Each structure stands twice: as C-alpha cells, then as structure tokens.
Amino acid sequence: MRDATFFRKAWIWALFCIIALLLLSSASETQRQWNPLDRFLVEITSPIQKLFTRAVDAIENFWLDYFYLVDVRRENKELKKQVNQLMMQNTRYHELLSTYKRLQALLNFKQTFEEPVIAAQVIGRDPSGWFRSVIIDKGKEDGIQVDMPVVNALGVVGRVVGVSAHYSKVLLIIDQNSSVDCLLQRSRDRGMVKGLFPERCKVAYIVKSSDVIIGDQVVTSGLGGVFPKGLPLGRVIKVEDSPGELFKDIDMKPAVNFSKLEEVLVILKKSLAFD
Amino acid sequence: MGEKRNILLYIITWIAGLFFILLKGRWLEGLGSTMLDLDLILILIAYLYLRRGGVAAGCFAFGQGFVMDTFSGGFKGLFVFLYLISLACIALLSRFLHLDNPRGQVFVVGAAWLVEKVLFGAMLLTLGSQLVLEGKDIWLLILSLVVSAMAAPVCFSFLDRLKVAVSDSNHERKIVLEQH
C-alpha cells in the first residue's frame, strides 16, 4: 500500500519534471513573446502585483522619508544654530562698529577742548522716574569734582552733583533742578536753559523784543562758571508770545539724545561758580 | 534657629529692594516711560510691617529711601520722608483693613501708593519744581496704581512661601502656615 502511494507521487513529480523539460526545450531565442496562457496569467496576477508593489513602495518611501526628515530636522537644527551664532556675531560687530563711531566722535570732540577731559561710561539711571540724573563710572580718584561739566559729542549732558571715590552722579540738563546760562547763537540773546519734563527744556528769560525763530541753535554762554562757552545745548522748537508775560515762552529740544546716553566726557575744569 | 531664618528673610528683602532701586532706572528707560511706576519698595514696606513690625519696616523704609535719594537727582531726604509717610499710612490703614488678607493688601498698598504720589507732587510744587503731566501720563499713573496694588498679594504670597521654604523644622513650618 505504501509502495503504491510512493510510486504515484514519484510519477506526479516525474510528470512535472518532464513538462518543465519540454517547456525548456520548446523555448527558443525567437519565441519570447507571451502566449495566450501567459497573457491570461499576467492579466490575473498583475493587479495583485501592482497593489503589492505600491504597498511596498509606500512603506519604503515612508521609511526613507522618515529617516530623511530626521536628517533634515537635525540639519535644520544645526543651520538654525549657525544662523543664531552668525546673528550674534553680526550684532556684536554692529555694536563694535557703533561703539567705534561714538568713541571716534567723542575723541574728535575731546580734541576741541583745551582743558583735560576724562571719558566715563553711564552705569545707572535715576530710579525715581521723575528726576533726571545718571551715575558714571569715574569719581574723585579720577580727578572728578562737583560741578564739573559733562558733555558728549552732540553737546552738553549736565554737571556733576555728587562724587564718590570711583563713581559720580550727573544731573542732566533736562532735570527740573538744572539751569544753564545760555546764548541764542544767531541773535546773541541771553537766557537760561531749564529742564522740563520729559526730555525737553525751557529757555527762560528771553525778552519779548528778541528775534528768536524755531530752529535757532542754543549754546552755553560761558557765564555761571560751570560750562565753557559755545557748547551746543539744543535747538528751539517752540516760540510763543504769551500776552501779559515779560518774557517769551520758548521750548528747546536738547542736542543730546538722553535715552541713548552711554559714554560721556567730563571736563576736568575747576568750577568758578562758587569761587 | 527660627529667628536666624527671619533675619535671613529680612536680608533677602533688603537685597531685593536694593536691586529693584538700582535696576529701576534702566528698566523704566527700557519701557519707554518713566511714569510707569510699580513701587515694589512700598509693597516690601507693607510686608515687613505685617510680618516684622513697625521698627523693622521703618528701618527698611529709611534705608531704601536713602538709597533712592542717593541714586536719584532729587532733593536729599525726599524719598526717606515719602517712604516713612507711606509706612505711617500703612500702619494707620491696617487698623481698619486687614493686611493679612489679599483684599486688605490691595487696598492698603494702593492707598499708600496714592498718598505717596500726591505727597510727592505736593513736595515738588512746594520746593519750586514744575509738575508737568500730559494726558498719557495720568493713565500711566493710574495703571501704575492698579499694578502696584494688585501686585501686593502676589508679593506677599511669594515672600510667605519663601519664609516657609527657609523655615527648616516641620514645627516651625506648621506655625508659619497656620499664621498665614
């Protein structure tokens, strides 16, 4: 029984092999075209193959894209880091350039003085929010004394009102407690620049007969013993003739931009105000 | 040990006040308006009055006012006077309003802020300065009043938590928490 089964299986295998050999022997170099059977088979299996291929492609693409995106993300991070570093460098260079320009202007301005001057940096601002003063990083040990004038390349900043060994307090000309004797450059009229909140000044005691127009340059008169003569204070921005008043109502925009005050020069000149 | 911790908290309050004064000018410049005035010193005075008593708060008000006078271009003693008056105002108001609860803190600090600013203006006028306020400044002052008053409970709570954090023993912690 067992031998009969064995022989049946052997016959089937032999038949398959013979068919295969026949097919192989019948195939020639010129007969590569599909026969009807082939075509039928292809028509049936191809949709399945197509579906399978697409699925594999999709998985492959997804897989590759994922890894690709991981790389892109990494690359993006690196590039962002580089951009940030370059931006920081750029900012630093801009800062250095603007510092250089400011210091150059300050140096040019310094050379116009006969008196010795000392450069100082603004390290603190008035905490009250109402008064206008700054703290600078030079003090008594650097030769600074009370009432010394403080200027920058644009004009008058203020005067020293407090000195410690290494630091000083400077009262700005825009403070309400500040007054500077002034001169209108064009008309040569004399007056007094007083601080007016916020970041404006009033030019007081200019008589009504004086010829003042908007845009007139206001400079220090040299009187009062604190500021040397001819330093720019600002420009007239408002002129009004109020009836019943003795003097003209004049507002001045200071030459110095006090919100951007970083470096100043202290003129080491002994005050004559109280001498 | 508890007293040492209290002293440590007192020192922290002093340092915070000092830092606030030293950085306030630059901070106000950065904001673009010097009229926006969150008065942390006033809040710290009120806090110290509540937790450490009148003497400690008085020393703090005097010291911080002195520092303020030193670094500002104002008259000597102006801020010492203003902060001491503010403390007196806080002491008076705390008799009627509970400084222990947030609502009381808001009202007391707000009222003290208002009194301080009104007195400040009055003193400026008395001492010969001009008081020039634009429409925008009034709104900024009102905003400052509201922010200072509303910040009081937040600061009180933060400092209380800090006090709990520096209290080492559980017993002490329990007492502090019960107090609050």
Side-chain angles (χ1 to χ4, degrees), chain B residues 30 33 41 49 53 56 64 92 107 124 129 142 158:
Chain B
S33 175
I41 304 298
Y49 178 74
Q64 300 290 330
L92 185 72
F107 281 110
L124 280 183
S129 292
I142 292 169
F158 174 76

Side-chain angles (χ1 to χ4, degrees), chain A residues 182-201:
Chain A
C182 72
L183 206 60
L184 292 166
Q185 204 171 42
R186 189 180 55 83
S187 63
R188 311 310 288 173
D189 286 307
R190 264 193 65 207
M192 188 78 82
V193 168
K194 289 185 168 189
L196 189 70
F197 191 82
E199 305 228 345
R200 258 189 308 154
C201 291

Side-chain angles (χ1 to χ4, degrees), chain A residues 126 129-130 132-133 169 176, chain B residues 34 70-73 124 129-130:
Chain A
D126 197 300
W130 189 265
R132 292 285 181 272
S133 65
K169 182 161 74 178
Q176 293 193 8
Chain B
T34 52
T70 308
F71 284 96
S72 91
L124 280 183
S129 292
Q130 280 180 308

Side-chain angles (χ1 to χ4, degrees), chain B residues 11-111:
Chain B
I11 292 168
I12 290 171
T13 317
W14 266 85
I15 293 169
L18 280 174
F19 265 100
F20 178 72
I21 290 172
L22 294 177
L23 297 175
K24 194 180 167 191
R26 203 161 276 271
W27 171 63
L28 289 176
E29 286 280 340
L31 280 176
S33 175
T34 52
M35 298 305 286
L36 199 62
D37 184 15
L38 164 69
D39 207 337
L40 185 69
I41 304 298
L42 208 60
I43 298 170
L44 292 176
I45 290 171
Y47 178 80
L48 286 174
Y49 178 74
L50 177 68
R51 300 281 179 241
R52 300 277 303 160
V55 177
C59 290
F60 180 81
F62 186 89
Q64 300 290 330
F66 188 78
V67 175
M68 196 80 162
D69 279 332
T70 308
F71 284 96
S72 91
F75 315 102
K76 268 271 170 273
L78 177 66
F79 284 98
V80 171
F81 175 74
L82 286 174
Y83 282 139
L84 287 174
I85 291 288
S86 303
L87 173 61
C89 180
I90 288 165
L92 185 72
L93 285 171
S94 62
R95 287 176 187 273
F96 307 106
L97 295 159
H98 290 289
L99 206 50
D100 266 335
N101 69 49
R103 194 182 295 174
Q105 289 157 12
V106 168
F107 281 110
V108 170
V109 171

Side-chain angles (χ1 to χ4, degrees), chain A residues 126-233:
Chain A
D126 197 300
S128 70
W130 189 265
F131 302 108
R132 292 285 181 272
S133 65
V134 291
I135 307 292
I136 56 170
D137 66 344
K138 293 285 186 298
K140 204 175 276 181
E141 290 199 355
D142 305 286
I144 293 179
Q145 290 174 18
V146 171
D147 267 334
M148 280 184 170
V150 182
V151 294
N152 77 358
L154 298 170
V156 177
V157 171
R159 66 186 169 92
V160 177
V161 289
V163 186
S164 74
H166 300 100
Y167 302 98
S168 304
K169 182 161 74 178
V170 177
L171 189 73
L172 305 179
I173 58 161
I174 49 169
D175 188 275
Q176 293 193 8
N177 300 311
S178 160
S179 341
V180 183
D181 203 277
C182 72
L183 206 60
L184 292 166
Q185 204 171 42
R186 189 180 55 83
S187 63
R188 311 310 288 173
D189 286 307
R190 264 193 65 207
M192 188 78 82
V193 168
K194 289 185 168 189
L196 189 70
F197 191 82
E199 305 228 345
R200 258 189 308 154
C201 291
K202 195 162 260 313
V203 186
Y205 311 124
I206 300 283
V207 288
K208 285 202 167 181
S209 58
S210 65
D211 167 36
V212 190
I213 53 167
I214 290 172
D216 270 355
Q217 176 90 41
V218 185
V219 295
T220 51
S221 69
L223 297 171
V226 176
F227 297 96
K229 192 178 178 178
L231 293 175
L233 281 162

